[in-house]
Amino acid sequence: MVLEAARRPLEERELERPRARSGQVLIEVKACAVCRTDLHVVDGELTQPKLPLVPGHEVVGVVAETGKDVTRFKPGDRVGVPWLGWTCGECPYCLANRENLCDRALFTGYTLDGGYAEWIVADARFCFPIPASYAEAEAAPLLCAGLIGYRSFTKTAGGKRLGIYGFGAAAHIITQVARYEGRQVFAFTREGDVKGQEFAKSIGAIWAGGSNQLPPEPLDAAILFAPVGQLVPQALKAVRKGGVVVCGGIHMSDIPSFPYELLWGERSVCSVANLTRRDGEEFFALAPRIPVKVNVEKFPLAQANEALASLRAGRIKGVAVLIPETTNGH
Ligand SMILES: [Zn+2]
Ligand SMILES: [Zn+2]
């Protein structure tokens, strides 16, 4: 339905324009990045979607209308809508500044309609202003690959030698953050993915190899962006005593059993769930200073399925971004 809508005349689409209710902003979508999580949603690996559902949780657009009680934004402002769409504000997690774990949280493009669309309504409190230095398509991937990548990065406890497994959207953003902070990045790709390894080196990894390889020196920490459980023992082998392995994805295949020896020596494994608004504020202050550059491959909104297929096949180096046809490629 959404894809057909993109081809209809403007007047018809205007009639279908949703309204911003109290506390919400209505946003004209300019760009929506395609995330691996969208594949997990479309494939049913995340089992609680709202149905029918508009996917997409890395949305950048322009505020068209504000609902009652919205003072943060005004029409014409450029805003981003991230995965975290709403939290209750009163559960033990919310009260402990861990809203990413909220018991009743709602998620954009999963339990709320997302940004594979021309319009989106969002709770204004969960949107972020987009830094002026970013074009819309380049800003979109910052909303998840950037934010959740950044949260994963903050869990690596300052380790100097950082391994990154799975070199896609989040990895190419976080490599730039890591370098800015004086870390060394070791990139791990699918075995034999020479192009991926070259790409990783071109944006600053000091070493790149297959995920079956060990790095030339032990790592202080590793982040797994690839949703492959087998990589957990592999990464544990690569980190030194006291090192941490951070699982940055929302879904992962089963982790195979492994000898306790790999965990011994106070190594640890943790996951990263969602994001907090504070992560977003920190990251959007940091990204323009570095400045984080994002490699995007644009697809018209009507080709959302092709974009998903390219991501699934590992053909995207950087990030796929959907552009509604009304936007004229901005
Ligand atoms: Zn995502
Ligand atoms: Zn809560």
Side-chain angles (χ1 to χ4, degrees), residues 87-91 93-94 102-104:
T87 56
C88 76
E90 54 195 31
C91 74
Y93 297 107
C94 282
C102 173
D103 285 327
R104 295 196 283 139

